[in-house]
Amino acid sequence: RAKDQGKNTFQFYSAQMNLHTVERLSLETSLRWALEREEFVLHYQPKIDLRSGRAVGVEALVRWQHPDMGLVSPATFIPLAEETGLIGPIGEWVLAQACAQCRAWLDQGLPPLRMAVNLSASQFARSDVLPQVMGVLKRTGLTPRMLELEITESTVMKNAEHSREVLHQLKARGIGLAIDDFGTGYSSLGYLKRFPLDSVKIDRSFVLDLPDDQDNAAITQAVIGMAHSLGLRVVAEGVETEAQLAFLRHHGCDEAQGYCLSPPLPAEALADFLRSRAGRVREAR
Ligand code: C2E
Ligand code: MG
Ligand code: MG
Ligand code: MG
C-alpha cells in the first residue's frame, strides 16, 4: 500500500487514487481530529513580479501533517473536507493562520507582502463569509489591502448572483480578488468582467508546455491581452522552466509562481528566502 511506502509516495498517490471506502472513512475520522491535534500546516509560495523580479505576495497552501501518512496534499483532503462540512473550521483556521503569519512578518520588519488565501466553493457560499474575513483582519490587525482571496472560476459561476454580491462587498472593503485556475471552466474573461476582480491566474495546464505548444501559447497571449484591456493583473501558475518564464515575461504577464522561482515553503524558510535575496529572484529585462 502507498502509505506504507513512505511520505512522498503517499502524497503522489493520494491525489490520483480513488480512495477505498474503508480508507476514506478512516481518513474522514482523522480529518475530524486534525484541527484539534494541530496537524495542519501552511506553506507559502511567493508571487514574483516579472518586471522587478521581486516577491510581491505569497499564496498560503495548506498541508496535513498526518502522523502515519506524512504530508497529505490538499488535493486529497480539501474535497473530503468540502463533502463533510469540515471545510468550515479548516478554512477559518487557514485564514486566521495566514493573516497571523502576515502580521508576524511585518512585525519582523520584512517588506509588506500581499497574503493570498484560497477559498473553496462551500466557504464562499456561506452567508457569513464577509464577517468571517473582516473578523480575522480585525483580530490580526491587517489592513484589507494586504489580503487577497483566490476563488476558482467554477466557484464564482456556481451561483453568479451570490458571487457578484459577495465579491462587491469584499471589494468595497479593499480586499484583493483573484480568479484561480483560469481557463479550466466554461466562462469567458468578458463574462468575468461583470465581477469586481483584480487579477486572473492562468492555470498551470496552459503554462505546462509553453512556449512550444502553439495553442497554449496563443491562449496565454490572448488571456494576457484581454485581461490587461479589462484592467486586470495576470499571474501565471506552475512556472517550472526558464523558457516558460521568458515567454511569459516577453508577453507582458505581470506575476508568476512556480517551482523555477520557488516551491511553497514553510514560514521560516520563506522569511529566509525574502531576507537573503530581498525576494529578488531575477533582474528585470
Ligand atoms: P491552487 O490554488 O491552484 O494552487 C497551486 C498548486 O500548484 C499548489 O498545489 C502548488 O503547490 C502547486 N504548484 C506551485 N508551483 C508549481 C509548479 O511549478 N509545478 C507544479 N506542478 N505545481 C506547482 P497544492 O499546494 O497541492 O494545492 C492544490 C490545490 O488545493 C490548490 O490549487 C487549491 O485549490 C487547494 N488548496 C490549497 N490550500 C488550500 C486552502 O487553504 N484552502 C482551500 N480551500 N483550498 C486549498
Ligand atoms: Mg490558488
Ligand atoms: Mg491555481
Ligand atoms: Mg491550478
Side-chain angles (χ1 to χ4, degrees):
R1 285 159 30 106
K3 77 176 188 186
D4 299 328
Q5 288 166 14
K7 303 182 174 185
N8 296 327
T9 353
F10 183 84
Q11 187 173 14
F12 174 74
Y13 281 136
S14 56
Q16 280 143 53
M17 78 185 166
N18 201 345
L19 290 171
H20 192 269
T21 314
V22 177
E23 276 191 331
R24 238 193 80 116
L25 274 176
S26 71
L27 200 62
E28 185 181 329
T29 308
S30 36
L31 191 59
R32 285 191 188 282
W33 289 98
L35 262 182
E36 257 170 82
R37 293 181 183 154
E38 299 180 45
E39 289 173 0
F40 293 114
V41 62
L42 294 184
H43 285 186
Y44 302 90
Q45 185 175 41
K47 294 186 180 179
I48 306 295
D49 180 286
L50 291 181
R51 269 168 297 268
S52 68
R54 282 180 185 278
V56 288
V58 290
E59 177 176 5
L61 294 157
V62 69
R63 277 93 182 84
W64 179 15
Q65 186 65 64
H66 189 280
D68 308 323
M69 295 186 290
L71 213 56
V72 182
S73 152
T76 306
F77 68 88
I78 292 288
L80 190 61
E82 283 256 313
E83 282 173 46
T84 54
L86 289 167
I87 193 67
I90 294 173
E92 204 154 342
W93 179 87
V94 168
L95 194 62
Q97 181 68 24
C99 289
Q101 186 59 64
C102 189
R103 156 60 44 198
W105 284 329
L106 277 178
D107 294 344
Q108 289 166 29
L110 287 169
L113 291 172
R114 243 185 302 128
M115 175 61 73
V117 174
N118 292 284
L119 283 196
S120 61
S122 58
Q123 281 178 280
F124 188 67
R126 282 170 63 148
S127 56
D128 63 345
V129 53
L130 183 73
Q132 198 196 342
V133 170
M134 294 312 292
V136 169
L137 287 173
K138 197 172 170 201
R139 284 193 292 280
T140 46
L142 282 193
T143 61
R145 303 218 169 273
M146 298 206 62
L147 180 67
E148 181 172 49
L149 299 174
E150 295 193 2
I151 303 146
T152 66
E153 199 182 341
S154 53
T155 293
V156 168
M157 302 306 290
K158 226 167 234 173
N159 184 346
E161 267 323 298
H162 169 80
S163 297
R164 256 169 72 83
E165 201 179 307
V166 174
L167 292 173
H168 273 289
Q169 289 168 348
L170 292 163
K171 174 78 169 189
R173 307 298 198 283
I175 294 163
L177 301 170
I179 288 294
D180 207 346
D181 302 345
F182 183 74
T184 56
Y186 299 98
S187 52
S188 67
L189 258 180
Y191 189 84
L192 284 179
K193 188 50 196 171
R194 297 177 44 204
F195 303 97
L197 306 168
D198 299 287
S199 61
V200 285
K201 300 187 72 177
I202 301 181
D203 190 67
R204 186 162 68 83
S205 56
F206 299 103
V207 175
L208 196 65
D209 45 18
L210 290 179
D212 304 320
D213 186 277
Q214 300 285 307
D215 294 337
N216 286 341
I219 290 168
T220 300
Q221 288 179 67
V223 170
I224 293 170
M226 265 190 293
H228 282 170
S229 67
L230 295 171
L232 301 172
R233 247 175 28 250
V234 184
V235 183
E237 48 173 37
V239 182
E240 295 184 356
T241 69
E242 287 294 332
Q244 292 166 354
L245 198 61
F247 179 92
L248 291 162
R249 192 189 273 123
H250 179 76
H251 289 98
C253 183
D254 302 285
E255 295 168 26
Q257 278 179 280
Y259 296 160
C260 94
L261 296 160
S262 167
L265 298 168
E268 314 75 56
L270 188 96
D272 290 342
F273 171 87
L274 293 174
R275 274 195 209 96
S276 64
R277 328 159 68 155
R280 177 153 57 201
V281 173
R282 253 160 219 94
E283 289 297 335
R285 295 266 152 100

